[in-house]
Protein backbone atom coordinates (compact mmCIF):
# COMPACT_ATOMS: atom_id res chain seq x y z
CA UNK A 1 0.00 0.00 0.00
CA UNK A 2 2.75 2.47 -0.91
CA UNK A 3 2.50 6.02 -2.18
CA UNK A 4 3.59 6.91 -5.72
CA UNK A 5 7.40 7.10 -5.57
CA UNK A 6 7.69 9.97 -8.07
CA UNK A 7 6.16 12.42 -5.57
CA UNK A 8 9.48 12.91 -3.79
CA UNK A 9 11.16 13.85 -7.09
CA UNK A 10 8.79 16.73 -7.91
CA UNK A 11 9.55 20.40 -7.33
CA UNK A 12 6.03 20.76 -5.92
CA UNK A 13 3.45 18.14 -4.90
CA UNK A 14 1.22 19.04 -7.82
CA UNK A 15 -0.29 17.72 -11.05
CA UNK A 16 -1.61 19.92 -13.84
CA UNK A 17 -4.92 18.24 -14.59
CA UNK A 18 -5.90 17.08 -18.10
CA UNK A 19 -8.37 19.62 -19.52
CA UNK A 20 -10.58 19.03 -22.55
CA UNK A 21 -9.53 21.27 -25.47
CA UNK A 22 -7.00 23.07 -23.22
CA UNK A 23 -4.11 20.68 -22.47
CA UNK A 24 -1.68 19.90 -25.27
CA UNK A 25 1.97 18.88 -25.70
CA UNK A 26 3.36 22.35 -25.02
CA UNK A 27 1.62 22.64 -21.66
CA UNK A 28 2.54 19.08 -20.67
CA UNK A 29 6.19 19.49 -21.66
CA UNK A 30 6.65 22.76 -19.78
CA UNK A 31 5.01 21.38 -16.64
CA UNK A 32 7.29 18.34 -16.64
CA UNK A 33 10.39 20.43 -17.31
CA UNK A 34 9.49 22.58 -14.31
CA UNK A 35 9.08 19.65 -11.96
CA UNK A 36 5.34 19.02 -11.81
CA UNK A 37 3.31 16.36 -13.58
CA UNK A 38 1.80 17.47 -16.90
CA UNK A 39 -1.19 15.62 -18.35
CA UNK A 40 -3.63 15.76 -21.24
CA UNK A 41 -6.79 13.94 -22.40
CA UNK A 42 -6.25 11.46 -25.22
CA UNK A 43 -9.40 12.86 -26.84
CA UNK A 44 -7.78 16.28 -27.26
CA UNK A 45 -6.29 14.70 -30.35
CA UNK A 46 -9.11 13.89 -32.73
CA UNK A 47 -7.65 10.53 -33.84
CA UNK A 48 -5.54 7.79 -32.30
CA UNK A 49 -2.90 8.48 -34.95
CA UNK A 50 -2.71 12.10 -33.82
CA UNK A 51 -2.65 10.96 -30.21
CA UNK A 52 0.44 8.87 -30.89
CA UNK A 53 2.11 11.83 -32.58
CA UNK A 54 1.61 13.83 -29.38
CA UNK A 55 3.07 11.00 -27.26
CA UNK A 56 6.16 10.89 -29.48
CA UNK A 57 6.50 14.69 -29.36
CA UNK A 58 6.27 14.80 -25.56
CA UNK A 59 8.68 11.91 -25.00
CA UNK A 60 11.28 13.38 -27.37
CA UNK A 61 11.06 16.86 -25.86
CA UNK A 62 11.49 15.54 -22.31
CA UNK A 63 14.34 13.24 -23.35
CA UNK A 64 16.12 16.14 -25.04
CA UNK A 65 15.57 18.31 -21.96
CA UNK A 66 17.11 15.72 -19.67
CA UNK A 67 20.14 15.28 -21.93
CA UNK A 68 20.72 19.01 -22.33
CA UNK A 69 20.03 20.11 -18.75
CA UNK A 70 21.21 17.11 -16.78
CA UNK A 71 17.96 17.36 -14.82
CA UNK A 72 15.20 14.80 -14.54
CA UNK A 73 11.81 15.81 -15.90
CA UNK A 74 8.65 15.00 -13.98
CA UNK A 75 6.54 12.14 -15.40
CA UNK A 76 3.65 12.91 -17.73
CA UNK A 77 0.18 11.42 -17.85
CA UNK A 78 -2.73 10.73 -20.18
CA UNK A 79 -6.42 10.84 -19.34
CA UNK A 80 -8.54 8.03 -20.80
CA UNK A 81 -12.35 8.16 -20.76
CA UNK A 82 -13.28 4.61 -19.78
CA UNK A 83 -16.88 4.66 -20.97
CA UNK A 84 -18.74 2.37 -23.36
CA UNK A 85 -19.50 5.25 -25.73
CA UNK A 86 -15.79 6.02 -26.26
CA UNK A 87 -14.75 3.73 -29.17
CA UNK A 88 -11.09 4.73 -28.84
CA UNK A 89 -10.39 3.31 -25.38
CA UNK A 90 -8.70 0.11 -26.54
CA UNK A 91 -6.70 1.75 -29.33
CA UNK A 92 -5.52 4.61 -27.13
CA UNK A 93 -4.66 2.26 -24.26
CA UNK A 94 -2.59 0.15 -26.66
CA UNK A 95 -0.62 3.25 -27.62
CA UNK A 96 -0.08 4.11 -23.95
CA UNK A 97 1.35 0.63 -23.45
CA UNK A 98 3.50 0.92 -26.58
CA UNK A 99 4.99 4.21 -25.38
CA UNK A 100 4.94 3.25 -21.68
CA UNK A 101 3.09 6.34 -20.51
CA UNK A 102 4.09 6.73 -16.82
CA UNK A 103 0.67 7.78 -15.53
CA UNK A 104 -2.82 6.93 -16.76
CA UNK A 105 -5.73 8.92 -15.36
CA UNK A 106 -9.07 7.18 -15.83
CA UNK A 107 -12.51 8.75 -15.78
CA UNK A 108 -16.04 7.32 -15.86
CA UNK A 109 -14.97 3.79 -15.10
CA UNK A 110 -12.35 1.94 -13.03
CA UNK A 111 -11.54 -1.35 -14.76
CA UNK A 112 -9.18 -3.91 -13.23
CA UNK A 113 -8.12 -5.22 -16.66
CA UNK A 114 -6.96 -1.74 -17.65
CA UNK A 115 -5.11 -1.35 -14.35
CA UNK A 116 -3.36 -4.70 -14.87
CA UNK A 117 -2.39 -3.70 -18.40
CA UNK A 118 -0.79 -0.46 -17.23
CA UNK A 119 0.94 -2.22 -14.35
CA UNK A 120 2.44 -4.69 -16.84
CA UNK A 121 4.94 -2.07 -18.01
CA UNK A 122 5.36 -0.31 -14.67
CA UNK A 123 2.84 2.48 -15.18
CA UNK A 124 0.48 3.89 -12.55
CA UNK A 125 -3.27 4.41 -12.70
CA UNK A 126 -5.04 7.25 -10.89
CA UNK A 127 -8.83 7.42 -11.00
CA UNK A 128 -11.05 10.43 -10.35
CA UNK A 129 -13.98 10.11 -7.94
CA UNK A 130 -16.53 12.41 -6.36
CA UNK A 131 -17.88 10.15 -3.61
CA UNK A 132 -17.02 7.19 -1.37
CA UNK A 133 -18.91 4.60 -3.44
CA UNK A 134 -16.86 5.45 -6.53
CA UNK A 135 -13.68 5.31 -4.46
CA UNK A 136 -14.52 1.83 -3.16
CA UNK A 137 -15.05 0.50 -6.69
CA UNK A 138 -11.79 2.05 -7.91
CA UNK A 139 -9.92 0.60 -4.94
CA UNK A 140 -11.29 -2.84 -5.80
CA UNK A 141 -10.00 -2.39 -9.35
CA UNK A 142 -6.50 -1.92 -7.94
CA UNK A 143 -5.81 1.70 -8.89
CA UNK A 144 -2.68 3.33 -7.46
CA UNK A 145 -4.25 6.68 -6.63
CA UNK A 146 -7.59 8.39 -6.22
CA UNK A 147 -8.28 11.92 -7.42
CA UNK A 148 -10.89 13.40 -5.09
CA UNK A 149 -12.83 15.94 -7.11
CA UNK A 150 -14.37 18.16 -4.45
CA UNK A 151 -17.01 20.88 -4.61
CA UNK A 152 -16.03 23.91 -6.65
CA UNK A 153 -13.61 22.12 -8.96
CA UNK A 154 -13.54 22.95 -12.65
CA UNK A 155 -14.97 20.49 -15.14
CA UNK A 156 -17.00 17.52 -13.88
CA UNK A 157 -16.91 18.33 -10.18
CA UNK A 158 -18.45 16.73 -7.14
CA UNK A 159 -20.51 18.43 -4.44
CA UNK A 160 -18.72 17.38 -1.23
CA UNK A 161 -16.48 19.74 0.74
CA UNK A 162 -12.81 18.71 0.46
CA UNK A 163 -12.26 18.29 4.23
CA UNK A 164 -14.79 15.49 4.83
CA UNK A 165 -14.10 14.02 1.39
CA UNK A 166 -10.39 13.53 2.10
CA UNK A 167 -11.07 12.25 5.61
CA UNK A 168 -13.68 9.76 4.41
CA UNK A 169 -11.62 8.35 1.57
CA UNK A 170 -8.41 8.06 3.60
CA UNK A 171 -10.22 5.65 5.92
CA UNK A 172 -10.70 3.15 3.08
CA UNK A 173 -7.76 3.90 0.74
CA UNK A 174 -4.12 3.84 1.85
CA UNK A 175 -2.39 4.60 -1.44
CA UNK A 176 -1.88 7.99 -3.13
CA UNK A 177 -4.56 10.63 -2.50
CA UNK A 178 -4.93 13.64 -4.80
CA UNK A 179 -7.21 16.57 -4.04
CA UNK A 180 -8.93 18.62 -6.72
CA UNK A 181 -11.08 21.70 -6.28
CA UNK A 182 -10.30 25.44 -6.03
CA UNK A 183 -6.52 24.94 -5.78
CA UNK A 184 -4.96 27.98 -7.46
CA UNK A 185 -2.11 29.13 -5.20
CA UNK A 186 0.86 27.67 -3.39
CA UNK A 187 -1.00 28.26 -0.13
CA UNK A 188 -3.84 26.13 -1.51
CA UNK A 189 -1.36 23.34 -2.25
CA UNK A 190 -0.10 23.53 1.33
CA UNK A 191 -3.70 23.40 2.59
CA UNK A 192 -4.35 20.28 0.53
CA UNK A 193 -1.35 18.63 2.15
CA UNK A 194 -2.56 19.58 5.62
CA UNK A 195 -5.95 18.02 4.89
CA UNK A 196 -4.16 14.76 4.17
CA UNK A 197 -3.68 14.75 0.41
CA UNK A 198 -0.41 13.59 -1.14
CA UNK A 199 -0.76 15.71 -4.27
CA UNK A 200 -2.70 18.78 -5.38
CA UNK A 201 -4.57 18.38 -8.67
CA UNK A 202 -4.79 21.75 -10.41
CA UNK A 203 -6.81 22.53 -13.51
CA UNK A 204 -8.24 26.05 -13.72
CA UNK A 205 -4.99 27.76 -12.68
CA UNK A 206 -3.22 26.21 -15.68
CA UNK A 207 -5.82 27.46 -18.15
CA UNK A 208 -4.24 30.86 -17.63
CA UNK A 209 -0.78 29.96 -18.85
CA UNK A 210 0.94 30.95 -22.06
CA UNK A 211 1.31 27.29 -23.02
CA UNK A 212 -2.36 26.33 -22.66
CA UNK A 213 -4.60 26.10 -25.72
CA UNK A 214 -7.20 28.42 -24.16
CA UNK A 215 -8.00 31.55 -26.21
CA UNK A 216 -7.22 34.94 -24.69
CA UNK A 217 -10.92 35.71 -24.21
CA UNK A 218 -11.24 32.58 -22.05
CA UNK A 219 -8.25 33.58 -19.92
CA UNK A 220 -9.53 37.16 -19.59
CA UNK A 221 -12.92 35.86 -18.43
CA UNK A 222 -11.25 33.77 -15.72
CA UNK A 223 -9.40 36.88 -14.50
CA UNK A 224 -12.64 38.90 -14.45
CA UNK A 225 -14.77 36.27 -12.69
CA UNK A 226 -15.15 35.34 -9.04
CA UNK A 227 -16.45 32.25 -7.26
CA UNK A 228 -20.07 33.38 -7.59
CA UNK A 229 -19.70 33.46 -11.38
CA UNK A 230 -19.33 29.67 -11.54
CA UNK A 231 -22.48 27.75 -12.52
CA UNK A 232 -22.88 24.03 -11.76
CA UNK A 233 -25.01 22.31 -14.41
CA UNK A 234 -25.39 19.05 -16.36
CA UNK A 235 -26.91 20.78 -19.38
CA UNK A 236 -23.72 21.04 -21.41
CA UNK A 237 -22.44 17.46 -21.43
CA UNK A 238 -24.96 15.39 -19.49
CA UNK A 239 -22.63 15.23 -16.47
CA UNK A 240 -22.77 18.00 -13.88
CA UNK A 241 -19.85 20.40 -14.30
CA UNK A 242 -18.83 23.95 -13.44
CA UNK A 243 -18.88 26.67 -16.09
CA UNK A 244 -18.21 30.40 -16.31
CA UNK A 245 -21.58 32.19 -16.20
CA UNK A 246 -20.60 34.89 -18.75
CA UNK A 247 -19.83 32.20 -21.34
CA UNK A 248 -23.23 30.59 -20.76
CA UNK A 249 -24.95 33.97 -21.05
CA UNK A 250 -23.09 34.76 -24.26
CA UNK A 251 -24.49 31.58 -25.83
CA UNK A 252 -28.04 32.46 -24.78
CA UNK A 253 -28.27 29.62 -22.24
CA UNK A 254 -31.39 30.07 -20.12
CA UNK A 255 -32.23 28.76 -16.65
CA UNK A 256 -34.68 26.29 -18.22
CA UNK A 257 -31.92 24.95 -20.45
CA UNK A 258 -29.58 24.62 -17.48
CA UNK A 259 -32.14 22.44 -15.70
CA UNK A 260 -32.06 19.81 -18.45
CA UNK A 261 -29.83 16.74 -18.42
CA UNK A 262 -28.86 14.98 -21.62
CA UNK A 263 -27.42 11.51 -22.06
CA UNK A 264 -23.66 11.14 -21.66
CA UNK A 265 -22.00 10.21 -24.94
CA UNK A 266 -18.30 10.97 -25.05
CA UNK A 267 -18.07 9.06 -28.31
CA UNK A 268 -19.76 12.00 -29.98
CA UNK A 269 -16.96 14.29 -28.83
CA UNK A 270 -14.47 12.59 -31.12
CA UNK A 271 -14.97 15.12 -33.90
CA UNK A 272 -14.57 18.88 -33.62
CA UNK A 273 -17.60 19.26 -35.90
CA UNK A 274 -19.87 17.73 -33.31
CA UNK A 275 -22.26 20.10 -31.53
CA UNK A 276 -20.98 18.94 -28.15
CA UNK A 277 -17.38 19.79 -28.98
CA UNK A 278 -18.52 23.14 -30.34
CA UNK A 279 -20.31 23.81 -27.07
CA UNK A 280 -17.20 23.05 -25.02
CA UNK A 281 -15.21 25.33 -27.31
CA UNK A 282 -17.50 28.29 -26.65
CA UNK A 283 -18.98 27.49 -23.22
CA UNK A 284 -16.00 27.62 -20.91
CA UNK A 285 -15.44 25.53 -17.80
CA UNK A 286 -13.62 26.71 -14.69
CA UNK A 287 -13.63 26.14 -10.95
CA UNK A 288 -14.36 28.49 -8.08
CA UNK A 289 -10.60 28.96 -7.72
CA UNK A 290 -10.91 31.70 -10.37
CA UNK A 291 -11.36 34.09 -7.49
CA UNK A 292 -7.58 34.09 -6.84
CA UNK A 293 -6.43 34.13 -10.49
CA UNK A 294 -5.53 37.62 -11.71
CA UNK A 295 -3.00 37.02 -14.48
CA UNK A 296 -1.73 34.74 -17.23
CA UNK A 297 1.85 33.51 -16.90
CA UNK A 298 4.27 31.11 -18.49
CA UNK A 299 4.28 27.71 -16.81
CA UNK A 300 7.83 28.41 -15.60
CA UNK A 301 6.81 31.66 -13.90
CA UNK A 302 3.65 30.13 -12.48
CA UNK A 303 5.46 27.17 -10.93
CA UNK A 304 8.06 29.56 -9.50
CA UNK A 305 5.30 31.63 -7.87
CA UNK A 306 3.55 28.52 -6.57
CA UNK A 307 6.79 27.34 -4.97
CA UNK A 308 7.31 30.69 -3.22
CA UNK A 309 3.72 30.74 -1.94
CA UNK A 310 3.88 27.09 -0.87
CA UNK A 311 7.07 27.55 1.15
CA UNK A 312 5.77 30.75 2.77
CA UNK A 313 2.56 29.00 3.81
CA UNK A 314 4.46 26.07 5.35
CA UNK A 315 6.78 28.44 7.23
CA UNK A 316 3.79 30.39 8.60
CA UNK A 317 2.22 27.17 9.83
CA UNK A 318 5.48 26.13 11.46
CA UNK A 319 5.53 29.37 13.45
CA UNK A 320 2.18 28.42 14.95
CA UNK A 321 3.87 25.62 16.81
CA UNK A 322 5.53 28.25 19.00
CA UNK A 323 2.18 29.89 19.69
CA UNK A 324 0.02 26.84 20.36
CA UNK A 325 2.12 24.54 22.54
Amino acid sequence: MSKASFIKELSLPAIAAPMFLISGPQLVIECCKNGIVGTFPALNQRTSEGFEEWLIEIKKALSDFEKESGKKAAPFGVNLIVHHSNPRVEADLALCVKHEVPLIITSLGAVSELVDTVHSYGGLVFHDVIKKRHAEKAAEAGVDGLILVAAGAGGHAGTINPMPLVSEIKKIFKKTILLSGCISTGRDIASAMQMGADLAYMGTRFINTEESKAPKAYQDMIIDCGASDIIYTAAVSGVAANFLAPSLNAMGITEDMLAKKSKVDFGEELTAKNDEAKAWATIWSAGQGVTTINNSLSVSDLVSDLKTEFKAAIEEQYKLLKVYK
Side-chain angles (χ1 to χ4, degrees):
M1 297 295 183
S2 60
K3 308 288 185 180
S5 60
F6 70 80
I7 296 175
K8 296 179 181 179
E9 300 174 357
L10 301 178
S11 65
L12 267 176
I15 290 181
M19 296 175 284
F20 187 52
L21 301 180
I22 301 299
S23 306
Q26 190 177 8
L27 179 57
V28 172
I29 291 166
E30 288 305 309
C31 284
C32 295
K33 286 167 62 175
N34 283 279
I36 67 171
V37 179
T39 67
F40 72 98
L43 295 184
N44 273 7
Q45 252 293 358
R46 313 318 294 180
T47 65
S48 290
E49 292 75 16
F51 170 52
E52 183 171 26
E53 290 174 1
W54 277 12
L55 291 178
I56 294 171
E57 178 184 351
I58 291 168
K59 289 176 64 179
K60 183 180 185 307
L62 296 181
S63 176
D64 290 346
F65 165 76
E66 292 184 343
K67 291 176 182 177
E68 295 168 3
S69 68
K71 300 177 181 179
K72 185 175 181 180
F76 74 95
V78 167
N79 176 223
L80 297 179
I81 302 296
V82 186
H83 189 269
H84 64 81
S85 63
N86 179 9
R88 274 179 44 185
V89 175
E90 291 187 9
D92 290 349
L93 175 59
L95 290 172
C96 290
V97 174
K98 176 182 177 181
H99 292 281
E100 298 189 346
V101 175
L103 173 62
I104 302 297
I105 296 169
T106 54
S107 304
L108 298 180
V111 181
S112 59
E113 290 79 8
L114 182 150
V115 174
D116 291 341
T117 298
V118 176
H119 284 173
S120 70
Y121 65 83
L124 299 175
V125 178
F126 290 174
H127 185 71
D128 56 18
V129 301
I130 61 173
K131 59 182 66 174
K132 182 180 178 181
R133 179 169 59 85
H134 297 163
E136 290 172 336
K137 290 185 176 181
E140 290 175 4
V143 302
D144 304 285
L146 291 176
I147 303 162
L148 314 188
V149 188
H156 298 124
T159 58
I160 303 176
N161 181 284
M163 291 186 186
L165 185 59
V166 171
S167 178
E168 189 171 53
I169 301 306
K170 283 180 71 70
K171 292 178 182 178
I172 63 167
F173 189 76
K174 304 305 179 183
K175 300 180 184 178
T176 304
I177 295 287
L178 301 86
L179 181 60
S180 170
C182 310
I183 302 176
S184 295
T185 69
R187 180 180 291 275
D188 296 338
I189 297 174
S191 296
M193 301 304 102
Q194 287 212 323
M195 278 188 270
D198 300 297
L199 288 164
Y201 197 71
M202 306 174 70
T204 302
R205 174 64 268 201
F206 282 86
I207 295 175
N208 277 43
T209 57
E210 295 173 3
E211 293 84 359
S212 92
K213 299 170 76 67
K216 185 177 184 300
Y218 190 171
Q219 297 187 358
D220 289 343
M221 189 177 291
I222 285 177
I223 291 172
D224 293 339
C225 285
S228 60
D229 295 306
I230 303 301
I231 304 297
Y232 189 66
T233 177
V236 176
S237 68
V239 178
N242 279 314
F243 297 93
L244 292 162
S247 72
L248 294 171
N249 296 336
M251 291 296 291
I253 304 297
T254 65
E255 290 187 8
D256 288 340
M257 294 169 69
L258 292 176
K260 295 179 180 179
K261 181 175 181 179
S262 59
K263 181 181 178 181
V264 179
D265 194 343
F266 286 91
E268 292 183 357
E269 290 184 1
L270 300 183
T271 168
K273 295 180 181 179
N274 177 263
D275 289 341
E276 175 99 354
K278 287 181 180 178
W280 278 87
T282 53
I283 299 175
W284 295 326
S285 179
Q288 293 174 6
V290 296
T291 194
T292 54
I293 299 174
N294 54 25
N295 55 19
S296 293
L297 303 169
S298 67
V299 168
S300 178
D301 287 342
L302 173 57
V303 173
S304 178
D305 287 351
L306 292 174
K307 286 181 185 178
T308 299
E309 295 164 354
F310 176 76
K311 292 177 180 178
I314 296 297
E315 288 170 356
E316 286 181 21
Q317 289 292 301
Y318 181 74
K319 291 177 182 178
L320 290 177
L321 291 176
K322 298 179 180 180
V323 177
Y324 301 102
K325 298 178 181 179

